[in-house]
Amino acid sequence: MAKLQLNGKKISIKSNISIFDLLVKYKLTNKKIAVEHNGKIIPKTNYKKKKLKNNDKIEIVHFIGGG
Amino acid sequence: MFKNFLKIGNKKLKSRLIVGTGKYKSLSETAKAVKISGADMVTVAVRRVNIIDRKKPMLTDYLNPKKIIYLPNTAGCFNSQEALRTLRLAREMGGWKLVKLEVLGDKKTLYPNMIETIKSTKTLVKEGFKVMVYCTDDPILAKKLEDLGAIAIMPLASPIGSGLGIQNKTNISLIIKQSKVPVIIDAGIGTASDATIAMELGCDGVLINSAIANAKKPLLMAKAFKDAVISGRNSFLAGRMKKKYLASPSSPTKGII
């Protein structure tokens, strides 16, 4: 198991899963989103390559209504 | 009636009204108001996905980004670092290069922090963004932004969400006269006539959010703004009559009985 911080919330995931796996878990694979991994934006093409480790900080953002 | 496109960067907009998508009661009301307003472009914010409640609807389910131009905005950012982070994320989300920069200086007035705004504009232009910039109504700073490569200048009419209308028409006119890029009034418009006044001054467009979303009947107000912007633009193009201090009769004086 690995502990992550996802959008400010602590979550536990299986070890060695990728960003893509995380997006599948949250049903976000075909949504307009962007992912930041420890402060660095991850290009879509690297979602499968990038494995998550203990204490990683992930931010997943999308567009919402705003002025 | 007239060829009246608003060109921003390589985008051609039929409507000179750009609307914000915040503050509505629901996403369905947002979508309806946008449709009625006739806007081709909407501003949107970048925020965390709700990972706890995944059933919550998303904006993209109601407003199709393929049909309407999303203009990612940095609302809520108080320094250059936050604004750059937001817009880089927006670009990653779907290739958005056309963005609105808004760096705020103070929570009470939401007045732009122009030092941070100028700094951010420089970086964004260097990174290939097409930046529309929210700014004060200072002609010198507006010129500076244009020189740095801003593709549209967006001076405030009055503080965001205040509904006070244009507070300094003289400055707005000076900015319009000097600018070679579109000038779009952003923030502070309170009601439809404020938008008409902005367009009559010669603004290329207006951006409205609170004035529609906070109206008692937002959908009717969306229609009012659509008409107000068209009227103001036509009035500007038509060229108003000269003001005189004394009366001039409308009917011929010859042949009076």
Side-chain angles (χ1 to χ4, degrees), chain A residues 55-67:
Chain A
N55 295 325
D56 275 356
K57 273 188 187 160
I58 307 288
E59 293 284 348
I60 306 175
V61 296
H62 67 150
F63 288 131
I64 65 151

Side-chain angles (χ1 to χ4, degrees), chain A residues 6-9 26-28 31-36 41-44 59-67, chain B residues 20-22 43-49 51-52 54 58-59 61 70 72-73 85 88-89 92-93 96 209:
Chain A
L6 172 59
N7 285 3
K9 302 262 178 318
Y26 288 100
K27 298 188 176 72
L28 287 165
K31 298 282 182 190
K32 281 240 176 287
I33 51 142
V35 180
E36 210 182 62
I41 297 172
I42 305 298
K44 284 182 178 54
E59 293 284 348
I60 306 175
V61 296
H62 67 150
F63 288 131
I64 65 151
Chain B
T21 53
T43 58
V44 294
V46 174
R47 293 290 183 271
R48 283 173 167 167
V49 166
I51 51 156
I52 296 170
R54 290 292 310 118
M58 289 168 101
L59 182 70
D61 299 332
Y70 270 38
N73 180 15
R85 182 187 183 196
R88 285 169 183 150
L89 281 164
E92 182 52 37
M93 235 180 282
W96 274 271
N209 191 351

Side-chain angles (χ1 to χ4, degrees), chain B residues 13-229:
Chain B
L13 310 185
K14 270 186 228 147
S15 171
R16 290 176 179 269
L17 172 61
I18 302 168
V19 293
T21 53
K23 293 184 174 175
Y24 286 94
K25 279 185 217 90
S26 64
L27 285 173
S28 125
E29 187 183 63
T30 313
K32 276 183 206 152
V34 169
K35 194 161 183 228
I36 293 168
S37 77
D40 303 302
M41 182 185 265
V42 294
T43 58
V44 294
V46 174
R47 293 290 183 271
R48 283 173 167 167
V49 166
N50 187 334
I51 51 156
I52 296 170
D53 181 7
R54 290 292 310 118
K55 279 192 186 117
K56 264 201 156 179
M58 289 168 101
L59 182 70
T60 41
D61 299 332
Y62 285 82
L63 285 171
N64 185 348
K66 280 182 189 141
K67 286 187 182 155
I68 196 143
I69 303 164
Y70 270 38
L71 181 66
N73 180 15
T74 60
C77 293
F78 282 84
N79 59 53
S80 181
Q81 210 185 341
E82 289 169 13
L84 295 175
R85 182 187 183 196
T86 303
L87 294 180
R88 285 169 183 150
L89 281 164
R91 178 167 61 180
E92 182 52 37
M93 235 180 282
W96 274 271
K97 276 193 177 169
L98 179 64
V99 293
K100 183 191 146 193
L101 174 69
E102 170 177 318
V103 190
L104 305 172
D106 169 64
K107 281 193 172 142
K108 238 183 201 169
T109 60
L110 298 180
Y111 215 68
N113 178 332
M114 290 307 294
I115 296 159
E116 292 290 296
T117 300
I118 285 169
K119 212 165 95 183
S120 314
T121 305
K122 267 188 208 165
T123 311
L124 290 166
V125 169
K126 216 184 280 169
E127 291 182 15
F129 282 95
K130 307 276 175 221
V131 204
M132 299 168 70
V133 190
Y134 170 60
C135 57
T136 53
D137 57 9
D138 178 331
I140 306 298
L141 293 174
K143 185 74 179 52
K144 177 81 185 162
L145 291 171
E146 187 176 343
D147 292 345
L148 287 173
I151 64 154
I153 305 296
M154 306 181 82
L156 48 74
S158 48
I160 295 173
S162 70
L164 290 171
I166 300 179
Q167 292 295 301
N168 196 336
K169 284 196 215 169
T170 315
N171 276 19
I172 298 293
S173 295
L174 285 171
I175 293 172
I176 293 166
K177 273 201 192 109
Q178 74 180 15
S179 301
K180 290 185 183 73
V181 295
V183 175
I184 295 161
I185 286 283
D186 182 2
I189 296 282
T191 189
S193 55
D194 292 339
T196 305
I197 291 168
M199 296 309 292
E200 282 181 335
L201 285 175
C203 285
D204 296 282
V206 291
L207 196 165
I208 314 286
N209 191 351
S210 307
I212 298 176
N214 290 347
K216 279 185 190 138
K217 294 179 183 170
L219 302 184
L220 187 55
M221 195 54 101
K223 172 78 170 89
F225 268 102
K226 179 186 180 177
D227 297 340
V229 168

